[in-house]
Amino acid sequence: MTRPRLVVGNWKMNPPTIAEAVALARAVVSAAPAGDVTMAVAPPAVALAMVAEAVRGTRVLVYTQDVHWEDKGAYTGGIAASMLAGVAVGTIVGHSEVRRDLGDDDIRVARKLARAIAAGLRVVLCVGESEAQHLAGETESVVARQVAADVAPLRANRERAAQLVIAYEPIWAIGTGRPATAAHATAAARMIRRTLETAGLPGDGTPVLYGGSVTAAGVREFSTADGIDGALVGGASLKAEEFGAIVRAFA
Ligand code: PGA
């Protein structure tokens, strides 16, 4: 089965200014390889509009890092999916740092996913086990539980399933310089697809990305891994040349 390939750069709370975000976006455009791997950057919300302007008409797409679970109202600091029209084609949902820092549980992640999908956004849903769960051999059960809960709203909206991509991001591999192995990522991807099928969603047709300490030097482990269709890249996405090299590895 050939699935679309996608590499997303999650800039997190970087770079320090909007001007630097725009400069980085321009550099990413310059370093973008030719080919049909979809590539996107996810800048901080405050820089979205300027970054979107900087990459308009190029092959670099813009995602946001998170979205609110309600569509409007008294939610100070919140950003509704509808507000992203014209600046982002998609959103990350369920990133482990957001789950950790903002208290998102699977119920809230599912609601965010539903809002984003209904607004026509593409979604990169992040799942992954903690270090303790990894050491306890619970990776596959944790991932299955997260996926089943988080995609629940899509069951009633199956024709939108093509908007969904899942990023497998073991928490112990994020920002640690200690990526998982191809075999570990492949096993997780297989469980993700099996869980999607059980939910009546297209497992085989859904792209699965790997995320966690992906670098240009180490990307081959994942670009050649069975069942892995791209990457969600944090730290290395802040260097345009390196990000371009990671995209190229998936071409
Ligand atoms: P990292 O982050 O590449 O810096 O490990 C990945 C992520 O959190 O998406």
Side-chain angles (χ1 to χ4, degrees), residues 28-247:
V28 168
V29 169
S30 301
D36 54 11
V37 180
T38 301
M39 63 186 289
V41 294
V46 72
L48 277 175
M50 296 280 282
V51 166
E53 209 42 56
V55 304
R56 201 171 302 282
T58 75
R59 58 170 305 209
V60 178
L61 302 177
V62 177
Y63 275 56
T64 185
Q65 297 174 12
D66 193 20
V67 70
H68 203 275
W69 64 91
E70 293 289 356
D71 66 347
K72 63 176 178 343
Y75 300 97
T76 302
I79 295 177
S82 65
M83 297 168 187
L84 298 167
V87 291
V89 301
T91 183
I92 299 169
V93 164
H95 192 280
S96 60
E97 288 154 14
V98 179
R99 293 182 193 250
R100 178 196 68 199
D101 296 339
L102 301 183
D104 278 14
D105 56 10
D106 285 313
I107 293 173
R108 191 182 283 173
V109 171
R111 293 181 67 193
K112 289 181 170 186
L113 182 141
R115 288 282 177 210
I117 295 279
L121 293 168
R122 308 181 203 179
V123 170
V124 174
L125 166 67
C126 302
V127 296
E129 81 284 6
S130 68
E131 172 114 64
Q133 290 164 332
H134 172 52
L135 294 175
E138 294 168 4
T139 297
E140 295 188 23
S141 59
V142 168
V143 164
R145 187 165 12 95
Q146 287 180 326
V147 171
D150 297 345
V151 305
L154 259 184
R155 302 176 73 160
N157 219 345
R158 273 171 216 181
E159 66 286 356
R160 300 276 186 128
Q163 288 167 236
L164 178 68
V165 169
I166 297 189
Y168 169 61
E169 296 209 308
I171 296 170
W172 48 271
I174 295 176
T176 59
R178 227 169 13 106
T181 61
H184 184 82
T186 292
R190 197 173 302 126
M191 179 50 84
I192 287 168
R193 294 202 165 94
R194 201 174 304 149
T195 309
L196 288 172
E197 295 284 354
T198 304
L201 294 165
D204 224 28
T206 301
V208 174
L209 316 183
Y210 168 79
S213 296
V214 173
T215 60
V219 65
R220 288 251 153 243
E221 178 84 4
F222 303 103
S223 61
T224 56
D226 196 31
I228 299 295
D229 309 303
L232 182 56
V233 187
S237 73
L238 299 171
K239 293 170 236 154
E241 290 292 337
E242 178 162 11
F243 186 58
I246 291 168
V247 174

